[in-house]
């Protein structure tokens, strides 16, 4: 068995796995904090909604669409000066968080908007009939009703972030992707590549199973 994984240093694998989990956890939390308000704004400022503002909706939609259209590897490189100015480094886990959030937040915002669109119009009308303010409609009607969809969207985003963290290894962000590139690809150590791929597959499966379970628990329909 040891001959099959002669190039694998399990201590390095453990550190890389920890770095990937830190990048994933921090970037997912920040993505949700940014993506939910952005998705709500995209929804409520749309045509016929409670805070219709077409100019704002078009502006936000254009920004989201532009950021979503830029390949993540290019986004990593473009944001290096910004990351250096804000964080002080573009390398390691700290240097990867900003690009990960910028890449994932617009994606999640669209999923939030879609989840809100699936809330029955009658729910909004009932809240308006009871005299609820716009803020109350969002916080007490829209978001609670859309919660299963928000969780499902967060799960999809988390899975996408796993692949983003792997791509971040191209610019020395650390984690399993960095290990796979430096050892598995550049040094032709197939066993290292195999271990990192298996670990990332397991991580994705756990995220998907956990997200699906939570979404089902929250869906009371």
């Amino acid at each position: 068995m040891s001959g099959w994984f002669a190039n694998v240093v399990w201590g390095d694998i453990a550190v890389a796995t920890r770095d990937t989990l830190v990048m994933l956890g921090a970037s997912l939390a920040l993505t949700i904090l940014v993506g939910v308000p952005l998705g709500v704004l995209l929804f409520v400022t749309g045509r016929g909604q409670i805070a219709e503002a077409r100019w704002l909706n078009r502006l936000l939609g254009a920004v989201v669409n532009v950021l979503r259209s830029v390949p993540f590897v290019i986004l990593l490189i473009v944001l290096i000066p910004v990351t250096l100015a804000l964080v002080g480094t573009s390398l390691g886990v700290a240097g990867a968080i900003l690009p990960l959030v910028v890449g994932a937040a617009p994606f999640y915002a669209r999923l939030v908007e879609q989840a809100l669109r699936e809330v029955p119009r009658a729910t909004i009308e009932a809240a308006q009939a009871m005299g609820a303010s716009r803020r109350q409609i969002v916080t007490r009607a829209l978001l609670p009703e859309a919660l299963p969809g928000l969780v499902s969207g967060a799960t999809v985003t988390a899975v996408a972030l796993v692949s983003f963290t792997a791509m971040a290894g191209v610019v020395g962000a650390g984690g399993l992707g960095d290990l796979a590139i430096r050892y598995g690809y550049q040094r032709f150590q197939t066993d290292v590549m195999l271990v990192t791929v298996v670990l990332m597959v397991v991580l994705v499966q756990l995220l998907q199973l956990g997200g699906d379970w939570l979404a089902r628990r929250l869906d009371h329909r």
Side-chain angles (χ1 to χ4, degrees):
M1 186 72 175
S2 60
W4 296 353
F5 300 102
N7 297 308
V8 177
V9 179
W10 296 104
D12 291 345
I13 294 290
V15 171
T17 302
R18 182 202 63 193
D19 288 347
T20 294
L21 292 175
V22 170
M23 282 191 287
L24 176 62
S27 60
L28 180 61
L30 291 172
T31 293
I32 292 173
L33 287 175
V34 174
V36 170
L38 183 56
V40 169
L41 275 175
L42 285 168
F43 175 75
V44 300
T45 59
R47 179 181 297 180
Q49 299 302 335
I50 59 175
E52 181 177 348
R54 295 189 183 182
W55 67 269
L56 179 58
N57 186 267
R58 289 172 182 171
L59 177 62
L60 291 174
V63 172
V64 166
N65 290 339
V66 167
L67 290 175
R68 288 180 62 197
S69 65
V70 179
F72 183 68
V73 173
I74 296 177
L75 193 64
L76 275 169
I77 298 170
V78 169
L79 287 176
I80 285 177
V82 181
T83 305
L84 281 170
L86 294 178
V87 184
T89 179
S90 62
L91 302 175
V93 173
I97 300 299
L98 178 63
L100 287 171
V101 174
V102 173
F107 176 73
Y108 183 57
R110 284 299 188 190
L111 296 178
V112 170
E113 182 188 17
Q114 183 60 42
L116 294 174
R117 289 185 186 278
E118 294 176 0
V119 175
R121 183 71 186 180
T123 301
I124 300 175
E125 293 173 350
Q128 289 175 320
M130 291 187 290
S133 65
R134 291 175 181 175
R135 183 174 182 176
Q136 289 172 328
I137 291 173
V138 170
T139 58
R140 299 184 183 182
L142 282 172
L143 291 178
E145 285 291 322
L147 194 55
L150 298 180
V151 171
S152 295
T155 303
V156 173
T157 305
V159 171
L161 278 169
V162 172
S163 65
F164 285 177
T165 62
M167 284 187 278
V170 173
V171 294
L176 291 170
D178 179 59
L179 204 65
I181 291 169
R182 286 192 296 115
Y183 293 93
Y185 175 69
Q186 294 178 347
R187 302 185 186 183
F188 304 102
Q189 295 178 356
T190 307
D191 49 356
V192 176
M193 180 73 77
L194 177 62
V195 170
T196 56
V197 168
V198 169
L199 287 173
M200 296 189 80
V201 168
V202 170
L203 178 57
V204 166
Q205 294 301 315
L206 291 175
L207 288 169
Q208 191 66 59
L209 289 172
D212 290 345
W213 174 83
L214 184 57
R216 287 194 299 270
R217 289 292 301 270
L218 294 171
D219 192 352
H220 302 299
R221 291 175 294 180

